[in-house]
Amino acid sequence: MPHRTSRRTLLTATAAVTAAAATGALTPPAVASAHPTNASTDRRLRRIIAGMSLEEKVGQLFVMRVYGHSATDPDQADIDANLREIGVRTAAELISTYHVGGIIYFTWAHNTRDPHQIADLSNGLQRAALAERHRVPLLVSTDQEHGIVCRVGEPATLLPGAMALGAGGSRSDTRRAAWIAGAELAALGINQNYAPDADVNVNPANPVIGVRSFGSDPDAVADLVAAQVKGYQGAGIASTAKHFPGHGDTNTDSHTGLPVINHTRAQWEELDAPPFRAAIRARIDSIMTAHIVVPALDPSEDPATLSRPILTGILREELGYDGVVVTDSLGMEGVRTKYGDDRVPVLALLAGVDQLLNPPNLSVAWNAVLEAVRGGEISEARIEESILRILRLKSRLGLFQDPFVSHRGVERTVGSRAHRAAADRIAERTTTLLSDPGALLPLSRRTHRNLLVVGADPASPSGTTGPPTGTLAHTFGELGFSARALSTGTAPNRAKIDEAVAAAEGKDAVVVATYNVTASSSQRTLVTALVATGVPVVTIAIRNPYDIAHLTAAGVAASLAAYSWTDVELRAAARVIAGRAEPEGTLPVPVQRADDPTQVLYPVGHGLSY
């Protein structure tokens, strides 16, 4: 197995190397322009900008949420939510009032009910944008990372998430997954995806990234990030690498607090920078900022989203990136901790941001930027620079020619048989068999036909799949087993544990879906109690792959990692357990011992086969 640089090694880099980084010795020359400009196109776009009012220019900088399944006729509850949060009734009214340059879709905002509805919503939004004076189409975006972050669900094709793809280790599978995802988003009228995640997850305790990352090895992550950029953009949509300058070593969730990363400049160069460099080389269309503090990169300790040294000094000038920079959501606490909601968008633009994503109060943010320009704090030339980048992206995507999608395209592309079959094959190559000391697996229908499936049933990322225990039991049934599902939850109480133990009586094996087990987790108590029945117990980690560290002492018969609880990954795990597929995945992160986290239980690259 190739040598992997450990986190401890990286985080104890020598002072000499740190000093070299500080003087610029580790900084490569800026790369050539990722998106060479066309002079005639630029002239046309500049004429559009020159004809805009200041209010229209400011609007182009914003990407906003809006409630409802329709641009003009949402449900009353969504009208009420829009009035309460935005001061408009509909998406069309939002566009005409604020001239926004983009809309972001969320499941909870009722934007993504089904494929045909999504296509109609996208078309309605574009019609509203083209009814404006300058007929500038919208960037319609969403977070469709796949795995545990997924806004568009079935019947669209769901694919393995980043860490699962990292376990598969295949650039071609990773690129193919992104191409399928991108083609389906494009058919729905979604033209900017906030993926891939370019964070290097070197911290097992990271509460917000985890399996959203391809892994802990910077070079491996860089390869797969580049593959996904090419896949998404090859399918005709904009790809977004996130979260710059790197969110992989945090103990705090930037949705609820302001994380601090204490990497030295040298450690950042080796750990965090490679995937972003790879994305830029792959001609990434957009990069999303992180609401994190990195003192070695900016001693002011402003969050990166508001940091000119990080966004302009490093991303633009040192890394040579000339594409669109979009903030992470401005409603997250990480960016609101230090400054008020009126200052955040102004400071972000001064730092080098182009798109302002989802401010908590659009009126406050929009008017703050307007006044900053009128008062001279931000020059009009500065915002025109960002608008030009945004319009160039819209032009590259062909939106000025035709921003609309068709129901025929939805039928032909979204959730096609070929896409679903490819997703299943890719997922099979990601499932990782971590432990099988007694060679129990694969289970035989002759000797272990009667199964009990218990465990955690977290809500589906897209609201369209699961529950996990039901999906696993159904798949085992299709494979010729007799399987009963019993949901025990992420924190089973004594009554639920006793119910599971009673249900295990007479079974040939028990399959337990575990979800982020800790030393004090009652999931661990459940597994221990089931092992005590004498029935062989197989565990599947359906989120982070670290669960096995807390279950080894319990005496489980076998353990696997699926990296997510969407149906495609659960079906693959069931097929592996049943011997219908080989366990081909290997760990893209190390699993440390529960009793001594300084020791590695299973290293990067570990994975058993039949």
Side-chain angles (χ1 to χ4, degrees):
M1 188 177 71
H3 172 71
R4 305 285 187 180
T5 305
S6 71
R7 177 174 181 249
R8 184 179 299 110
T9 299
L10 293 178
L11 299 186
T12 54
T14 65
V17 174
T18 304
T23 62
L26 295 182
T27 304
V31 299
S33 174
H35 299 288
T37 59
N38 178 285
S40 63
T41 299
D42 263 14
R43 282 194 297 271
R44 177 173 57 86
L45 298 179
R46 290 181 192 277
R47 282 196 299 270
I48 294 172
I49 296 169
M52 289 181 178
S53 68
L54 180 58
E55 290 81 2
E56 289 167 331
K57 290 176 183 177
V58 168
Q60 277 296 309
L61 305 172
F62 283 91
V63 180
M64 189 59 185
R65 70 189 180 280
V66 65
Y67 289 85
H69 71 287
S70 164
T72 56
D73 189 27
D75 294 340
Q76 186 60 50
D78 292 323
I79 292 173
D80 294 341
N82 285 329
L83 287 169
R84 183 171 59 251
E85 294 188 19
I86 314 173
V88 299
R89 295 171 57 83
T90 68
E93 189 178 335
L94 166 67
I95 293 164
S96 66
T97 302
Y98 289 101
H99 319 292
V100 295
I103 297 289
I104 180 173
Y105 286 171
F106 290 106
T107 307
W108 50 260
H110 310 139
N111 304 139
T112 57
R113 289 181 179 177
D114 65 74
H116 288 286
Q117 168 270 317
I118 298 169
D120 285 340
L121 174 59
S122 299
N123 285 341
L125 293 173
Q126 296 293 3
R127 280 193 294 271
L130 296 185
E132 291 280 287
R133 192 163 60 99
H134 292 289
R135 299 181 57 80
V136 176
L138 292 168
L139 284 170
V140 179
S141 61
T142 199
D143 293 279
Q144 189 79 347
E145 298 175 16
H146 287 275
I148 72 167
V149 176
C150 203
R151 311 301 188 206
V152 180
E154 292 186 344
T157 305
L158 296 179
L159 293 133
M163 192 170 286
L165 293 169
S170 166
R171 276 178 283 189
S172 61
D173 277 356
T174 301
R175 183 171 181 169
R176 176 67 175 163
W179 188 91
I180 291 169
E184 297 200 5
L185 290 176
L188 299 171
I190 298 170
N191 44 54
Q192 184 177 24
N193 190 19
Y194 297 138
D197 192 304
D199 302 311
V200 181
N201 199 72
V202 294
N203 186 346
N206 192 322
V208 65
I209 303 301
V211 292
R212 297 169 63 191
S213 163
F214 290 105
S216 63
D217 181 88
D219 294 334
V221 172
D223 283 346
L224 299 186
V225 164
Q228 288 230 304
V229 171
K230 292 173 183 175
Y232 284 125
Q233 295 183 184
I237 68 167
S239 178
T240 309
K242 61 188 186 185
H243 308 79
F244 189 82
H247 209 316
D249 193 14
T250 59
N251 292 307
T252 302
D253 184 344
S254 53
H255 291 84
T256 57
L258 179 57
V260 178
I261 293 185
N262 288 310
H263 291 179
T264 66
R265 175 60 192 253
Q267 290 160 356
W268 177 82
E269 291 276 0
E270 188 173 358
L271 264 179
D272 304 293
F276 293 101
R277 294 185 191 279
I280 293 168
R281 285 194 299 271
R283 301 194 170 193
I284 186 80
D285 277 320
S286 50
I287 290 178
M288 180 179 285
T289 67
H291 305 325
I292 59 172
V293 169
V294 188
L297 304 185
D298 182 357
S300 76
E301 301 194 5
D302 279 343
T305 298
L306 311 181
S307 169
R308 185 169 178 81
I310 291 175
L311 298 186
T312 297
I314 296 176
L315 181 57
R316 295 282 191 210
E317 296 173 357
E318 294 183 17
L319 301 189
Y321 177 64
D322 65 348
V324 170
V325 174
V326 56
T327 70
D328 205 344
S329 171
L330 297 183
M332 294 165 59
E333 284 303 310
V335 78
R336 303 173 74 191
T337 298
K338 194 171 179 181
Y339 301 101
D341 290 340
D342 58 335
R343 293 300 298 158
V344 164
V346 173
L347 294 173
L349 291 169
L350 290 171
V353 158
D354 301 307
Q355 287 185 304
L356 301 163
L357 177 62
N358 198 29
N361 187 315
L362 179 58
S363 177
V364 167
W366 189 84
N367 280 293
V369 174
L370 196 63
E371 291 307 311
V373 178
R374 285 174 175 162
E377 184 178 8
I378 301 176
S379 70
E380 199 158 348
R382 166 65 193 89
I383 66 168
E384 288 177 353
E385 176 188 322
S386 286
I387 298 165
L388 182 59
R389 288 193 188 101
I390 294 165
L391 297 192
R392 281 173 177 163
L393 176 53
K394 293 179 179 183
S395 179
R396 277 200 307 276
L397 295 174
L399 299 179
F400 283 98
Q401 286 72 42
D402 182 11
F404 299 108
V405 293
S406 69
H407 286 284
R408 183 181 177 188
V410 171
E411 291 290 345
R412 185 173 57 245
T413 306
V414 179
S416 72
R417 182 178 299 178
H419 288 179
R420 286 173 172 265
D424 282 336
R425 289 194 300 270
I426 292 169
E428 286 176 354
R429 293 190 281 268
T430 70
T431 305
T432 307
L433 178 58
L434 299 173
S435 173
D436 186 17
L440 173 69
L441 301 185
L443 294 181
S444 166
R445 286 176 295 172
R446 292 187 299 274
T447 58
H448 294 86
R449 184 176 182 276
N450 195 7
L451 306 179
L452 173 67
V453 181
V454 304
D457 275 335
S460 166
S462 62
T464 63
T465 65
T469 55
T471 297
L472 287 166
H474 179 74
T475 306
F476 282 123
E478 291 181 327
L479 296 171
F481 294 82
S482 174
R484 174 194 171 189
L486 174 62
S487 178
T488 50
T490 57
N493 57 26
R494 174 47 61 183
K496 187 59 71 174
I497 292 171
D498 290 344
E499 182 183 0
V501 167
E505 184 177 353
K507 295 294 187 291
D508 298 318
V510 180
V511 177
V512 185
T514 65
Y515 182 96
N516 291 1
V517 177
T518 64
S520 59
S521 171
S522 58
Q523 292 180 71
R524 189 167 176 257
T525 307
L526 167 70
V527 171
T528 301
L530 288 168
V531 169
T533 67
V535 179
V537 173
V538 178
T539 63
I540 307 172
I542 62 172
R543 186 166 178 168
N544 292 331
Y546 311 114
D547 292 2
I548 189 173
H550 298 283
L551 300 175
T552 300
V556 297
S559 288
L560 302 94
Y563 307 100
S564 178
W565 62 96
T566 51
D567 287 5
V568 67
E569 285 150 308
L570 296 175
R571 289 195 304 265
R575 289 195 296 272
V576 167
I577 290 170
R580 299 298 181 88
E582 291 286 324
E584 297 184 36
T586 61
L587 279 172
V589 293
V591 174
Q592 290 144 326
R593 293 175 59 100
D595 56 350
D596 183 3
T598 65
Q599 301 297 314
V600 173
L601 179 64
Y602 295 116
V604 169
H606 172 79
L608 305 178
S609 58
Y610 295 150

